[in-house]
Amino acid sequence: MQDFRNRLVIATVILGIAFLGLVSRLWFLQVLKADEFEAFSRDNRIRIERVPASRGRILDRYGRELVVNRPSFDVYVLPEDVDDMPALSVNLSRVLNEDPAKIVQKIKQASRRNRFKPALVAQDINRDQLAYIEARRSSLPGLTIEVNNLRQYPHGVMGASFLGYIGKVSEAELLANPELSSNGLVGKTGVEKTWEQSLRGKDGFTQKVTDALGREVKSNLFQKDLVNRQSVPGNDVVMSVDIDLQKAAEDALGEEFGAIIAVNVRNGEVLALASKPSFDPADFVKGIDSKTWSKLMNDKDFPLVSRATQGLYAPGSVFKMVPAAAAMKEGAIHPDTLVHCPGYYRLGSHVYRCWKRGGHGWMNMREAIVQSCDVYFYKLADKLGIDRISRYMNFFGFGSPTGIGIEERAGVAPSREWKLEKFKKPWYKGETIVSAIGQGYVSVTPLQIVMMTAAIANGGTLLTPNLVIKEVAFSGETRLNNVPPKGELPVDKVTLALIRDAMTGVVNGPGGTGHGARLENVTVAGKTGTAQVVSLDSQSSDKAHKDHAWFTSFAPAETPEIAVTVLIEHGGKGGAVAAPIAKKIIETYFQLKKERKANDNV
Amino acid sequence: MIMFDRRLLQSFGWSLFLMTLAFAALSLMNLYSASYQTGLGYFKKQAMWVCIGIFAMIVVSFLNNKLIKQYALYIYGFSLLLLLFVLVFGKEVSGSRSWITIGSFATIQPSELAKIPIILAIARFYDNDYEGVPYGLLDLIKPVLLTALPLTLVMLQPDLGTALTMVLISGSMILFMGVEKKLIFLVLAVVIGFSYPAWRFFLKPYQKDRIKTFLEPSKDPLDSGYNAIQSQIAVGSGGFMGKGFMSGSQTQLRFIPAQQTDFAFSVLAEEWGFLGGFMALLLYFMIILWILDTASRAKDKFSVLTCFGIAAMYFWHVVVNVGMVIGLLPIAGVPLMLLSYGGSSSLTALIGIGVVLGIRMRKFPIQGPAVELR
């Protein structure tokens, strides 16, 4: 038995070593790595649920609602809690007008991913449906109704071109901004996109304890380590736009394609910005379906492109103020110098025609603007040269974005360098001639024209158009949105005064081309333009061959407040088509102003 | 007829008995925490089994070990019959035929119960055969056969966790009795030589997965690595002091699979921390030490070897089970004696203690009957 005793000693030693091994591993896990495993354990059981912040509203300058939220009652089914699937689906199909098989399929599909996560069965049900379901809630276990926010547009399609639309967050947006929720909606264009940061607010979250199967656990045991964060609603964005004027502008456009922009000439606030054709932002609120989307994308009329800020057009004669200002400032021509217009201008072997076949006769600068004499500007351009014209185009803001904030295009203010880079060809003199009357390579957006007009009207300050006056946080805290002007035009006051006077003559003087904009009580100043079609591909319908009709204006001529630019695609003569529309807008503006003043006094 | 001697009571192993009772209480408490949310069915069944087990332990401890030695091979034979029976009539649970249903309420697992008969049979063999010289290959045919018979039946169920512990227990006993050195090398060579074909042809894919997962659990955190990871999270997050009784989040939220049975120790370690885990291990250590001590005091070879076998049974169950729970060993379905839920396992553990208690009581030669019980 003695040898057994020795072996038992060896066995005891082995026992001791084994237990030391187990204990040291236990020490390693429970003492050295305890914090790490505690973190794992926390991640195991705590599920974070996002509490989406309600998106801020978009208001007009007087606080009237342009875009708001409305509750959407969404029906969810928690697969785990359903005990009678056929009854549930039949009941739901009756109220939702949907095939019961389809409902079952929706629930089954979701339950395959997670039985304990509610499956969305119907979105945005109406009041009757809600009442029906609520009344039968107790007999339909597993059914829940959640209230979510949806964008709503009290004025329908009005303003869609600048309000923009929202859509599902894309992969790229998620990468750029990790704060976004992967299944949330985000501004895709317009104000919704540019002011996304402010509108969105900050999502909150609640933490929930879940068991190994992902079921929420209502035990008090682990509630103490849960953290909640309230969501912060997005800011309301108060736009400079006046709904009434906006409506007038959209009505005035009617069925025409084109744009109308009205701005305050003193601070650049955009009062109305209409663009047609447009789209219905309501199509996007629940995430657009692919059919509607591809229809919008493939529409040859480009309803998603805002004519006002993204449409590029030859400005035609509305552009003539630029070479006029340049010529006077540069001393290329004296305003009183008379130029004879025989109806054409010869440069080398090429003949450039005036729009008036018979010619205007002797013209000074004022008359040349009033009657929109082309020959006067051909000659002036010849003397100025493209370098100086191009410099002044830049001064007036052409060839670069205005900085309005929403999507816009820069257009082209052509120069020698530009042409060399773009076409690898030198500049020809003839191209200078046509540039002066806003043809050739010159291409602008209606927004740029209205800002040019505002700069002339306000005495030479090129403003940054301002769409948003302020943001109002949920707390009431207000942040004004000041946009600094782009700068002063290097043109003296006398020159601008002369141009303004000429523009007054366009509307009110003898021989003026813009009589269509004349108003009784307010002196309107303006400039007509009829631009040959260069941009936006023309099909060979009759309409497509017609020129674009321009009219840009400000009023009152003596103490300008508002600038209005009208562009009608293929509208024909600016004086005949666009000027009367501008007149309506200006008339409405002053009418509204009078009414407001009257109301204030009451 | 049971002979009763007053000295039997005097030399009763109270400390082992009390340690065992302490474990029974600990196991019920642990099980209560692990299962009270899903109803106390497990708890009540286990409580019943523990009572039956303690009763059996006491009864067995009062049986004369000479009687046990005498009937060892019959017990062994009966155990083989049970194993055959389960293969034919057993209830299939998740792919294994390991359980026999008794009445409507209880199931027993003959493979678990077969461990002590194997120990007794091997002890019985050596009691007759041992002459103090190391055993050669041919000398080992009998004890190996005594293991191989039940082992084969168990592997057919299949119940590989139990088969593994059977090999470890009888292997320990055979080694304890001494084998020629060259035989050890031969066995090692054969094991290494056969491990590749075994891996290739014998192991089922899920078993291969377990081994692969053990080597790198994070590779498959959702399927085969899930148990290992969740168990270690539970143990590790318990920290030094533990999360408190019925407050272990991994346990209460059921992140640990089989937490009543194979992973009972992770429940204990999560809720009672390092302190609790260490105390439990210490208790096991002392129990096994006590059994080895009993072996060293026993007067005959059968008793020495029986005690050693039961010590080995405890040892391997603790090492394999705890090693698996704390991520030192691959996941094998081996319950933790005295702590895991399970009637057969508890019964085996307690009967084993009973056998040791009986041997301890009779460390003094008993001279004639003092009291005769009818």
PDB file of all heavy atoms in Angstrom, chain B residues 26-43:
ATOM      1  N   LEU B  26     -25.964  25.015  -2.686  1.00  0.00           N
ATOM      2  CA  LEU B  26     -25.432  25.965  -3.674  1.00  0.00           C
ATOM      3  C   LEU B  26     -26.027  25.687  -5.048  1.00  0.00           C
ATOM      4  O   LEU B  26     -26.411  26.598  -5.782  1.00  0.00           O
ATOM      5  CB  LEU B  26     -23.909  25.824  -3.708  1.00  0.00           C
ATOM      6  CG  LEU B  26     -23.140  26.835  -4.539  1.00  0.00           C
ATOM      7  CD1 LEU B  26     -23.311  28.221  -3.941  1.00  0.00           C
ATOM      8  CD2 LEU B  26     -21.667  26.464  -4.598  1.00  0.00           C
ATOM      9  N   SER B  27     -26.119  24.408  -5.414  1.00  0.00           N
ATOM     10  CA  SER B  27     -26.611  24.062  -6.743  1.00  0.00           C
ATOM     11  C   SER B  27     -28.079  24.457  -6.876  1.00  0.00           C
ATOM     12  O   SER B  27     -28.503  24.976  -7.908  1.00  0.00           O
ATOM     13  CB  SER B  27     -26.412  22.571  -7.003  1.00  0.00           C
ATOM     14  OG  SER B  27     -27.627  21.877  -6.888  1.00  0.00           O
ATOM     15  N   LEU B  28     -28.850  24.262  -5.797  1.00  0.00           N
ATOM     16  CA  LEU B  28     -30.268  24.627  -5.873  1.00  0.00           C
ATOM     17  C   LEU B  28     -30.432  26.144  -5.973  1.00  0.00           C
ATOM     18  O   LEU B  28     -31.237  26.662  -6.747  1.00  0.00           O
ATOM     19  CB  LEU B  28     -31.011  24.087  -4.653  1.00  0.00           C
ATOM     20  CG  LEU B  28     -31.216  22.573  -4.682  1.00  0.00           C
ATOM     21  CD1 LEU B  28     -31.912  22.107  -3.406  1.00  0.00           C
ATOM     22  CD2 LEU B  28     -32.046  22.175  -5.905  1.00  0.00           C
ATOM     23  N   MET B  29     -29.627  26.861  -5.223  1.00  0.00           N
ATOM     24  CA  MET B  29     -29.686  28.330  -5.252  1.00  0.00           C
ATOM     25  C   MET B  29     -29.333  28.846  -6.654  1.00  0.00           C
ATOM     26  O   MET B  29     -30.003  29.698  -7.220  1.00  0.00           O
ATOM     27  CB  MET B  29     -28.695  28.862  -4.229  1.00  0.00           C
ATOM     28  CG  MET B  29     -28.779  30.334  -4.008  1.00  0.00           C
ATOM     29  SD  MET B  29     -27.378  30.853  -2.996  1.00  0.00           S
ATOM     30  CE  MET B  29     -26.082  30.771  -4.197  1.00  0.00           C
ATOM     31  N   ASN B  30     -28.262  28.280  -7.177  1.00  0.00           N
ATOM     32  CA  ASN B  30     -27.807  28.688  -8.503  1.00  0.00           C
ATOM     33  C   ASN B  30     -28.872  28.392  -9.563  1.00  0.00           C
ATOM     34  O   ASN B  30     -29.157  29.217 -10.432  1.00  0.00           O
ATOM     35  CB  ASN B  30     -26.525  27.910  -8.814  1.00  0.00           C
ATOM     36  CG  ASN B  30     -25.644  28.635  -9.787  1.00  0.00           C
ATOM     37  OD1 ASN B  30     -25.505  29.847  -9.669  1.00  0.00           O
ATOM     38  ND2 ASN B  30     -25.066  27.918 -10.724  1.00  0.00           N
ATOM     39  N   LEU B  31     -29.476  27.243  -9.429  1.00  0.00           N
ATOM     40  CA  LEU B  31     -30.496  26.831 -10.385  1.00  0.00           C
ATOM     41  C   LEU B  31     -31.730  27.719 -10.267  1.00  0.00           C
ATOM     42  O   LEU B  31     -32.361  28.073 -11.262  1.00  0.00           O
ATOM     43  CB  LEU B  31     -30.869  25.374 -10.116  1.00  0.00           C
ATOM     44  CG  LEU B  31     -31.845  24.758 -11.106  1.00  0.00           C
ATOM     45  CD1 LEU B  31     -31.192  24.700 -12.472  1.00  0.00           C
ATOM     46  CD2 LEU B  31     -32.227  23.369 -10.649  1.00  0.00           C
ATOM     47  N   TYR B  32     -32.030  28.110  -9.034  1.00  0.00           N
ATOM     48  CA  TYR B  32     -33.177  28.992  -8.814  1.00  0.00           C
ATOM     49  C   TYR B  32     -32.969  30.283  -9.599  1.00  0.00           C
ATOM     50  O   TYR B  32     -33.845  30.748 -10.333  1.00  0.00           O
ATOM     51  CB  TYR B  32     -33.315  29.293  -7.322  1.00  0.00           C
ATOM     52  CG  TYR B  32     -34.533  30.111  -7.006  1.00  0.00           C
ATOM     53  CD1 TYR B  32     -35.765  29.496  -6.823  1.00  0.00           C
ATOM     54  CD2 TYR B  32     -34.461  31.496  -6.927  1.00  0.00           C
ATOM     55  CE1 TYR B  32     -36.891  30.235  -6.558  1.00  0.00           C
ATOM     56  CE2 TYR B  32     -35.585  32.251  -6.664  1.00  0.00           C
ATOM     57  CZ  TYR B  32     -36.805  31.614  -6.482  1.00  0.00           C
ATOM     58  OH  TYR B  32     -37.922  32.358  -6.239  1.00  0.00           O
ATOM     59  N   SER B  33     -31.780  30.835  -9.474  1.00  0.00           N
ATOM     60  CA  SER B  33     -31.485  32.084 -10.163  1.00  0.00           C
ATOM     61  C   SER B  33     -31.522  31.907 -11.684  1.00  0.00           C
ATOM     62  O   SER B  33     -32.035  32.742 -12.408  1.00  0.00           O
ATOM     63  CB  SER B  33     -30.112  32.601  -9.744  1.00  0.00           C
ATOM     64  OG  SER B  33     -29.802  33.774 -10.434  1.00  0.00           O
ATOM     65  N   ALA B  34     -31.001  30.767 -12.129  1.00  0.00           N
ATOM     66  CA  ALA B  34     -30.904  30.564 -13.574  1.00  0.00           C
ATOM     67  C   ALA B  34     -32.245  30.288 -14.221  1.00  0.00           C
ATOM     68  O   ALA B  34     -32.411  30.473 -15.411  1.00  0.00           O
ATOM     69  CB  ALA B  34     -29.937  29.418 -13.865  1.00  0.00           C
ATOM     70  N   SER B  35     -33.215  29.851 -13.421  1.00  0.00           N
ATOM     71  CA  SER B  35     -34.428  29.368 -14.075  1.00  0.00           C
ATOM     72  C   SER B  35     -35.729  29.909 -13.509  1.00  0.00           C
ATOM     73  O   SER B  35     -36.786  29.564 -14.005  1.00  0.00           O
ATOM     74  CB  SER B  35     -34.452  27.836 -14.032  1.00  0.00           C
ATOM     75  OG  SER B  35     -34.550  27.421 -12.692  1.00  0.00           O
ATOM     76  N   TYR B  36     -35.658  30.791 -12.479  1.00  0.00           N
ATOM     77  CA  TYR B  36     -36.936  31.150 -11.868  1.00  0.00           C
ATOM     78  C   TYR B  36     -37.841  31.898 -12.843  1.00  0.00           C
ATOM     79  O   TYR B  36     -39.053  31.864 -12.725  1.00  0.00           O
ATOM     80  CB  TYR B  36     -36.717  31.978 -10.590  1.00  0.00           C
ATOM     81  CG  TYR B  36     -36.426  33.421 -10.822  1.00  0.00           C
ATOM     82  CD1 TYR B  36     -37.442  34.372 -10.703  1.00  0.00           C
ATOM     83  CD2 TYR B  36     -35.154  33.853 -11.184  1.00  0.00           C
ATOM     84  CE1 TYR B  36     -37.179  35.706 -10.929  1.00  0.00           C
ATOM     85  CE2 TYR B  36     -34.892  35.172 -11.416  1.00  0.00           C
ATOM     86  CZ  TYR B  36     -35.907  36.105 -11.285  1.00  0.00           C
ATOM     87  OH  TYR B  36     -35.660  37.414 -11.517  1.00  0.00           O
ATOM     88  N   GLN B  37     -37.211  32.558 -13.845  1.00  0.00           N
ATOM     89  CA  GLN B  37     -38.019  33.320 -14.792  1.00  0.00           C
ATOM     90  C   GLN B  37     -38.877  32.433 -15.682  1.00  0.00           C
ATOM     91  O   GLN B  37     -39.917  32.847 -16.164  1.00  0.00           O
ATOM     92  CB  GLN B  37     -37.118  34.171 -15.672  1.00  0.00           C
ATOM     93  CG  GLN B  37     -36.511  35.312 -14.927  1.00  0.00           C
ATOM     94  CD  GLN B  37     -35.881  36.285 -15.883  1.00  0.00           C
ATOM     95  OE1 GLN B  37     -36.550  37.127 -16.442  1.00  0.00           O
ATOM     96  NE2 GLN B  37     -34.593  36.129 -16.088  1.00  0.00           N
ATOM     97  N   THR B  38     -38.376  31.236 -15.916  1.00  0.00           N
ATOM     98  CA  THR B  38     -39.115  30.356 -16.812  1.00  0.00           C
ATOM     99  C   THR B  38     -39.922  29.342 -16.011  1.00  0.00           C
ATOM    100  O   THR B  38     -40.204  28.251 -16.473  1.00  0.00           O
ATOM    101  CB  THR B  38     -38.139  29.617 -17.757  1.00  0.00           C
ATOM    102  OG1 THR B  38     -37.074  29.107 -16.963  1.00  0.00           O
ATOM    103  CG2 THR B  38     -37.600  30.535 -18.799  1.00  0.00           C
ATOM    104  N   GLY B  39     -40.241  29.719 -14.802  1.00  0.00           N
ATOM    105  CA  GLY B  39     -41.009  28.802 -13.970  1.00  0.00           C
ATOM    106  C   GLY B  39     -40.043  27.966 -13.161  1.00  0.00           C
ATOM    107  O   GLY B  39     -38.879  27.815 -13.533  1.00  0.00           O
ATOM    108  N   LEU B  40     -40.520  27.414 -12.075  1.00  0.00           N
ATOM    109  CA  LEU B  40     -39.608  26.723 -11.172  1.00  0.00           C
ATOM    110  C   LEU B  40     -39.575  25.226 -11.434  1.00  0.00           C
ATOM    111  O   LEU B  40     -39.184  24.447 -10.569  1.00  0.00           O
ATOM    112  CB  LEU B  40     -40.000  27.021  -9.729  1.00  0.00           C
ATOM    113  CG  LEU B  40     -39.711  28.483  -9.355  1.00  0.00           C
ATOM    114  CD1 LEU B  40     -40.239  28.808  -7.980  1.00  0.00           C
ATOM    115  CD2 LEU B  40     -38.217  28.771  -9.422  1.00  0.00           C
ATOM    116  N   GLY B  41     -39.964  24.816 -12.627  1.00  0.00           N
ATOM    117  CA  GLY B  41     -39.982  23.394 -12.962  1.00  0.00           C
ATOM    118  C   GLY B  41     -38.640  22.724 -12.747  1.00  0.00           C
ATOM    119  O   GLY B  41     -38.532  21.703 -12.070  1.00  0.00           O
ATOM    120  N   TYR B  42     -37.588  23.343 -13.288  1.00  0.00           N
ATOM    121  CA  TYR B  42     -36.239  22.803 -13.137  1.00  0.00           C
ATOM    122  C   TYR B  42     -35.867  22.698 -11.674  1.00  0.00           C
ATOM    123  O   TYR B  42     -35.329  21.706 -11.207  1.00  0.00           O
ATOM    124  CB  TYR B  42     -35.219  23.736 -13.813  1.00  0.00           C
ATOM    125  CG  TYR B  42     -35.168  23.648 -15.310  1.00  0.00           C
ATOM    126  CD1 TYR B  42     -35.457  24.745 -16.100  1.00  0.00           C
ATOM    127  CD2 TYR B  42     -34.781  22.463 -15.928  1.00  0.00           C
ATOM    128  CE1 TYR B  42     -35.387  24.672 -17.476  1.00  0.00           C
ATOM    129  CE2 TYR B  42     -34.702  22.384 -17.305  1.00  0.00           C
ATOM    130  CZ  TYR B  42     -35.017  23.496 -18.072  1.00  0.00           C
ATOM    131  OH  TYR B  42     -34.938  23.422 -19.424  1.00  0.00           O
ATOM    132  N   PHE B  43     -36.161  23.796 -10.966  1.00  0.00           N
ATOM    133  CA  PHE B  43     -35.761  23.868  -9.565  1.00  0.00           C
ATOM    134  C   PHE B  43     -36.414  22.745  -8.753  1.00  0.00           C
ATOM    135  O   PHE B  43     -35.760  22.049  -7.981  1.00  0.00           O
ATOM    136  CB  PHE B  43     -36.153  25.240  -9.016  1.00  0.00           C
ATOM    137  CG  PHE B  43     -35.857  25.413  -7.565  1.00  0.00           C
ATOM    138  CD1 PHE B  43     -34.557  25.670  -7.137  1.00  0.00           C
ATOM    139  CD2 PHE B  43     -36.861  25.318  -6.617  1.00  0.00           C
ATOM    140  CE1 PHE B  43     -34.275  25.825  -5.798  1.00  0.00           C
ATOM    141  CE2 PHE B  43     -36.578  25.464  -5.280  1.00  0.00           C
ATOM    142  CZ  PHE B  43     -35.284  25.718  -4.863  1.00  0.00           C
TER     143      PHE B  43
END
